[in-house]
Amino acid sequence: MNLSGEYFIFIGDKSYHGKGIGTFITKKIIENGFQLLGLNRIMLTVSEKNIGAIKAYTKAYTKANFKTEGVMKQAFYIYGQFQSKNGALIIRDLKKVPTGMNLTVKHLDGTIIEYVQHKNVNK
């Protein structure tokens, strides 16, 4: 497990656009990703061809302190062709991670791995 996460948001119904849903979801992803799952980095991605989503994502990830990472060329395959996607990321600030945080992960094959953070080394 590399302690990295990636997500995207798809809001298909345009009547829900511009209502803060993406910002809310982004805040929850960060909260759960860092605090519950113990991730080190979280990446938000959007198709390079989806200009409307890029504008919306830029607003949402800027509010959440994401930094633009760049374009991932031919990152996914859809409708018979490869497409690129833009990525922005946030990296956990280890100074703000609660000490003594434990993380237990159960893989699909049933294997259980436990990660234990005994102390915060970056005080």
Side-chain angles (χ1 to χ4, degrees):
M1 184 165 158
N2 66 10
L3 298 179
S4 293
E6 178 180 337
Y7 77 104
F8 68 94
I9 302 167
F10 177 77
I11 303 172
D13 186 337
K14 293 185 186 225
S15 68
Y16 290 99
H17 291 192
K19 303 214 183 272
I21 296 169
T23 300
F24 175 80
I25 291 170
T26 296
K27 287 179 182 177
K28 289 298 179 184
I29 292 283
I30 293 169
E31 180 182 305
N32 288 310
F34 289 153
Q35 294 176 9
L36 183 64
L37 298 176
L39 298 178
N40 181 59
R41 64 180 264 143
I42 299 172
M43 179 185 297
L44 168 62
T45 61
V46 61
S47 169
E48 187 177 47
K49 292 186 176 188
N50 192 341
I51 303 303
I54 290 172
K55 290 178 183 177
Y57 278 47
T58 300
K59 184 178 178 183
Y61 77 65
T62 300
K63 284 183 182 178
N65 295 318
F66 277 73
K67 305 296 180 216
T68 300
E69 186 160 54
V71 177
M72 292 164 274
K73 297 292 184 188
Q74 299 185 4
F76 66 102
Y77 188 79
I78 189 169
Y79 306 124
Q81 62 182 339
F82 286 99
Q83 292 187 18
S84 299
K85 59 184 174 180
N86 293 352
L89 73 99
I90 186 168
I91 297 176
R92 177 176 59 176
D93 182 350
L94 292 176
K95 294 185 287 291
K96 296 179 182 175
V97 174
T99 59
M101 182 178 67
N102 296 339
L103 171 65
T104 302
V105 177
K106 184 173 183 180
H107 293 273
L108 293 176
D109 67 1
T111 307
I112 296 175
I113 299 174
E114 187 167 345
Y115 299 90
V116 179
Q117 179 184 337
H118 293 287
K119 64 180 181 175
N120 190 335
V121 295
N122 292 337
K123 289 185 179 182

